[in-house]
Amino acid sequence: MEFPISTLTNIPAIHRVLLLAVVILTALGNVHGRHKVHKWETVEYSAISCRAHTASLTDFGGIGDGTTLNTNAFKTAVDHLSQFQSNGGSLLYVPAGKWLTGSFNLTNHFTLYLDKDAVLLASQDENDYPVIAPLPSYGRGRDTDGGRFVSLIFGTNLTDVVITGENGTIDGQGQLWWDKFHKGELKFTRPYLIEIMYSDNIQISSLTLVNSPSWNVHPVYCSNIIIQGITILAPVRSPNTDGINPDSCINTRIEDCYIVSGDDCIAVKSGWDEYGVAFGMPTKQLAIRRITCISPTSATIALGSEMSGGIQDVRAEDITAIDTESAVRIKTAVGRGGYVKDIYVKGVTMKTMKYVFWMTGDYGSHPDTNYDPNALPVIENINYRDMVAENVTIAAKLSGISGDPFTGICISNVTIEMAPKAKKLFWNCTDISGISSGVVPQPCDLLPDQGTEYAAPCNFPTESLPIDDMEIQTCSCRKKIY
């Protein structure tokens, strides 16, 4: 807005003041778009605990430009918010942006909340991941002897921790780590995206995890865990990018997740050979519901192979597997010890599978040569029902251990449509025993058909697990909208 000076001098003084104010306000309006302004918005989310205190990562110097390293910002924020553990707890809000960071720890009574447009970018510098001791139930790292790089998001000996958001993304930028693995250049075991140890009351929900260097979500030695609404994406040939691995955990619920993986979508574990036997902490009371899996070289749900502390009372239902090697696979070996028992599976839909049923007692990797060759695993009371599959290469490969058969296998109401180029032997069974009813094609002789007159569905418990009583609240937090 421009006025000739001659015009301004002819205007009374009071009017010149008012006009000047208009000019200034107009100028400010013109540059308004060049300055960040914000407003507050309240968002609601579901969590096991709500928090009394909220802070943003930007309050601690965080810069979401994709190149500035924010490890110290995360550490400073968590350290500051830890003072509210006994005063209503705290929430750290991660706004929209790309937040490059190395590993950082969580604290008690704490929520990490990712905006829908927030991306945590995992640093590719090994120096940003401290090396920690191997898990006592494993005795060594999974990739190498000795220690392991700590996970990107880590916590130990915690109570009441929530990692959630609006489907914000955690990107592990795993290609560099995968290349090092293939070239044998790793000094220590690769970091996971999220690992929580020795903790209780844990929720991980409403997130997208992509390109993890190795396992994505690893609760270990924990109890009362809810993992819900997670999307996990990794190239189907990426090494060991397991989706969710409950490990020596009690009372866990995994539900409503979509997983594309280079390894098992869900791998249930409890320690490795003599180390797992000595540690003696089983995984039990595990519910898995409404999971979709794509993994051409691995299982939808794997039980083992590290199962030496025992796996018991696993209930899986409403499962979808597409272009996946097998549905529910049991992996063990001589020297493992431990047990896998009381396994219940129902309502599985499969399309394009190598195997529907797969059990093996010859999964022979060992942490070292000190395992007990007389430690035989016990595999018993395995129940499958109400399943349908199409385009299948082999209906079943069920291989127990000579002198230590897998027992109490029950398969009922299962229809398998074989692929045009299926193997001639649909069922391959050794060292197992059990029963079947209403299964097409006809199972092997070691699973005799009970006939329609005496047939009953295989067991699936009707009582709920304790984790189903864990309450979820509707919480809210304020976030800045720029």
Side-chain angles (χ1 to χ4, degrees), residues 44-57:
E44 292 187 342
Y45 63 99
S46 299
I48 56 175
S49 299
C50 303
R51 309 302 183 192
H53 303 273
T54 298
S56 172
L57 186 63

Side-chain angles (χ1 to χ4, degrees), residues 128-184:
D128 291 325
Y129 300 87
V131 176
I132 59 176
L135 293 168
S137 59
Y138 283 68
R140 53 159 285 170
R142 290 297 286 114
D143 291 332
T144 67
D145 290 333
R148 57 205 187 98
F149 292 110
V150 71
S151 64
L152 179 68
I153 300 173
F154 182 72
T156 185
N157 295 295
L158 299 178
T159 298
D160 181 21
V161 172
V162 177
I163 307 172
T164 190
E166 306 164 76
N167 289 314
T169 299
I170 302 174
D171 185 347
Q173 301 200 101
Q175 186 65 56
L176 175 141
W177 298 96
W178 305 333
D179 291 344
K180 287 184 177 182
F181 172 82
H182 287 305
K183 294 176 182 177

Side-chain angles (χ1 to χ4, degrees), residues 7 30 32 37 43 57 60 79 97 108 120 124 126 140 177 180 207 212 227 265 304 320 336 338 341 352 365 380 408:
T7 302
N30 289 338
H32 176 80
V37 296
V43 294
L57 186 63
F60 303 91
D79 182 64
N108 292 304
L120 264 59
Q124 295 182 306
E126 290 185 0
R140 53 159 285 170
W177 298 96
K180 287 184 177 182
L207 298 169
S212 177
I227 301 173
C265 289
T320 300
R336 287 285 191 271
K341 60 185 179 180
T352 307
S365 62
E380 64 181 13

Side-chain angles (χ1 to χ4, degrees), residues 37-203:
V37 296
H38 67 264
K39 61 180 180 179
W40 289 96
E41 179 179 274
T42 299
V43 294
E44 292 187 342
Y45 63 99
S46 299
I48 56 175
S49 299
C50 303
R51 309 302 183 192
H53 303 273
T54 298
S56 172
L57 186 63
T58 55
D59 297 336
F60 303 91
I63 300 174
D65 60 4
T67 58
T68 301
L69 190 65
N70 290 282
T71 311
N72 287 336
F74 277 105
K75 290 181 176 179
T76 302
V78 173
D79 182 64
H80 171 78
L81 293 171
S82 65
Q83 68 182 301
F84 302 114
Q85 292 181 30
S86 59
N87 186 22
S90 58
L91 179 147
L92 178 62
Y93 172 70
V94 182
K98 294 184 177 181
W99 309 90
L100 181 67
T101 181
S103 174
F104 62 93
N105 293 355
L106 306 179
T107 189
N108 292 304
H109 305 291
F110 176 79
T111 296
L112 178 67
Y113 187 96
L114 272 61
D115 183 270
K116 63 182 178 64
D117 295 317
V119 180
L120 264 59
L121 289 174
S123 169
Q124 295 182 306
D125 186 344
E126 290 185 0
N127 295 318
D128 291 325
Y129 300 87
V131 176
I132 59 176
L135 293 168
S137 59
Y138 283 68
R140 53 159 285 170
R142 290 297 286 114
D143 291 332
T144 67
D145 290 333
R148 57 205 187 98
F149 292 110
V150 71
S151 64
L152 179 68
I153 300 173
F154 182 72
T156 185
N157 295 295
L158 299 178
T159 298
D160 181 21
V161 172
V162 177
I163 307 172
T164 190
E166 306 164 76
N167 289 314
T169 299
I170 302 174
D171 185 347
Q173 301 200 101
Q175 186 65 56
L176 175 141
W177 298 96
W178 305 333
D179 291 344
K180 287 184 177 182
F181 172 82
H182 287 305
K183 294 176 182 177
E185 296 176 351
L186 288 169
K187 300 175 184 176
F188 303 101
T189 293
R190 288 164 286 165
Y192 307 144
L193 283 189
I194 301 172
E195 182 177 69
I196 308 293
M197 299 176 58
Y198 299 109
S199 298
D200 181 65
N201 289 352
I202 307 298
Q203 174 187 333

